């Protein structure tokens, strides 16, 4: 084989590798459920508008840079603060970056998870509850948005969702799989105001780095900087 033929073969092999990687990335993205306004969120296009925001932005970006280490150790993030400060945007940036690096990602919330679990009870369902829980347990990085908004108690009794939340978090805790949360509530408020079980919050406290995002509403900043079309 002459040099030009070897070069053509190498180019063809590289093209095949790139196509296979793109197919893998497309498959990961389809499974992530990260769509709509956050589908193209990235660190590069984020508006760095304040020191508190930049501090959390830097830590989220650094988390993705050491993804293999935090995945091996099962370390997640609990990012909380007042609504509108950019928590969901930052975690969407993280999810997209991790998918670009070929980690499996699911970006969802417990409202959607509860719907999916209930759907498995249908006679025509192709997936059992155990199958769904196993899938949630094995994803590399599970993102739970707006945690704490779910209704988990009624009167003095726990609702069905209370145990499901604990089961999923505890399973990932035991498997050392990271969970990244966004919430409007501190861990104490999850117990005192939102009614989550102590043991659930204890698991979250142990398996995550707690980060608070304060400052001006990120949504208002984006709106203010948006070009007027009319």
């Amino acid at each position: 084989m002459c040099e030009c033929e070897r070069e053509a073969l190498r180019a063809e092999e590289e093209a095949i590798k790139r196509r296979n990687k793109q197919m893998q990335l497309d498959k990961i993205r389809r499974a992530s459920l990260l769509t709509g306004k956050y589908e193209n969120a990235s660190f590069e296009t984020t508006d760095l508008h304040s020191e508190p925001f930049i501090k959390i932005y830097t830590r989220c970006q650094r988390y993705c840079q050491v993804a293999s280490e935090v995945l091996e150790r099962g370390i997640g993030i609990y990012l909380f603060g007042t609504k509108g400060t950019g928590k969901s945007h930052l975690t969407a940036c993280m999810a997209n970056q991790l998918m670009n690096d070929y980690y499996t990602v699911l970006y969802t919330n417990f409202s959607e998870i509860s719907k999916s679990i209930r759907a498995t009870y249908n006679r025509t369902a192709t997936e059992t509850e155990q199958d769904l829980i196993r899938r949630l347990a094995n994803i590399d990085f599970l993102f739970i948005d707006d945690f704490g908004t779910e209704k988990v108690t009624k009167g003095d009794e726990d609702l069905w969702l209370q145990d499901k939340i604990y089961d999923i978090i505890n399973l990932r805790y035991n498997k050392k799989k990271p969970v990244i949360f966004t919430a409007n509530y501190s861990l104490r408020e999850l117990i005192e105001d939102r009614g989550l079980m102590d043991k659930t919050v204890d698991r979250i406290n142990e398996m995550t780095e707690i980060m608070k995002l304060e400052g001006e509403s990120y949504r208002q900043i984006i709106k203010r900087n948006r070009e007027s079309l009319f």
Side-chain angles (χ1 to χ4, degrees):
M1 185 181 294
C2 69
E3 183 58 32
C4 62
E5 290 174 323
R6 284 194 291 269
E7 185 60 33
L9 181 59
R10 283 194 294 267
E12 183 179 355
E13 290 173 345
E14 286 299 318
I16 292 172
K17 288 180 182 178
R18 286 195 298 271
R19 285 198 297 271
N20 288 340
K21 280 190 174 183
Q22 187 59 51
M23 289 173 60
Q24 181 184 357
L25 182 57
D26 291 343
K27 183 178 180 181
I28 290 170
R29 288 195 176 281
R30 286 195 299 272
S32 74
L33 303 185
L34 191 63
T35 58
K37 65 183 294 185
Y38 296 128
E39 185 175 3
N40 297 312
S42 70
F43 289 114
E44 290 75 19
T45 59
T46 298
D47 188 343
L48 303 179
H49 57 276
S50 69
E51 286 300 323
F53 186 86
I54 292 172
K55 180 180 179 181
I56 301 299
Y57 166 96
T58 302
R59 292 191 69 186
C60 290
Q61 190 175 45
R62 176 61 180 161
Y63 182 94
C64 295
Q65 292 169 352
V66 295
S68 61
E69 288 87 347
V70 294
L71 178 59
E72 182 179 355
R73 296 170 61 185
I75 301 172
I77 289 175
Y78 186 83
L79 178 58
F80 76 102
T82 54
K83 62 181 180 180
T85 49
K87 301 181 298 294
S88 295
H89 174 82
L90 284 175
T91 52
C93 291
M94 294 174 64
N96 282 323
Q97 181 61 58
L98 291 167
M99 284 189 287
N100 286 340
D101 294 332
Y102 300 100
Y103 293 100
T104 55
V105 167
L106 179 63
Y107 194 103
T108 187
N109 55 53
F110 269 109
S111 175
E112 292 301 319
I113 290 174
S114 68
K115 292 177 185 176
S116 297
I117 292 175
R118 292 181 190 280
T120 65
Y121 302 155
N122 193 303
R123 289 182 180 179
T124 59
T126 58
E127 186 177 45
T128 67
E129 179 180 347
Q130 290 72 26
D131 292 335
L132 175 60
I133 299 298
R134 191 179 304 113
R135 184 156 57 87
L136 292 172
N138 290 326
I139 289 165
D140 291 335
F141 293 93
L142 178 62
F143 287 77
I144 302 294
D145 196 32
D146 284 333
F147 186 61
T149 61
E150 306 82 15
K151 189 174 181 62
V152 295
T153 60
K154 185 176 183 180
D156 294 328
E157 296 184 1
D158 287 337
L159 297 176
W160 166 86
L161 188 56
Q162 177 86 272
D163 289 332
K164 299 303 177 185
I165 290 174
Y166 175 77
D167 290 343
I168 292 168
I169 291 174
N170 186 57
L171 188 55
R172 288 190 66 86
Y173 169 85
N174 289 331
K175 293 174 72 71
K176 293 178 64 177
K177 291 283 190 176
V179 184
I180 295 89
F181 299 87
T182 69
N184 296 334
Y185 309 95
S186 67
L187 294 185
R188 180 181 294 275
E189 289 170 333
L190 288 179
I191 298 172
E192 296 179 352
D193 299 342
R194 304 306 303 164
L196 268 84
M197 293 186 293
D198 288 7
K199 62 180 182 179
T200 301
V201 178
D202 283 344
R203 289 286 189 271
I204 295 171
N205 185 45
E206 185 174 345
M207 66 194 296
T208 64
E209 290 291 323
I210 313 300
M211 294 159 47
K212 185 176 183 180
L213 181 55
E214 301 176 292
E216 187 179 358
S217 169
Y218 188 76
R219 293 176 191 151
Q220 290 302 316
I221 292 168
I222 296 300
K223 180 179 179 181
R224 190 165 62 239
N225 293 340
R226 185 173 61 205
E227 181 184 358
S228 177
L229 299 177
F230 53 89

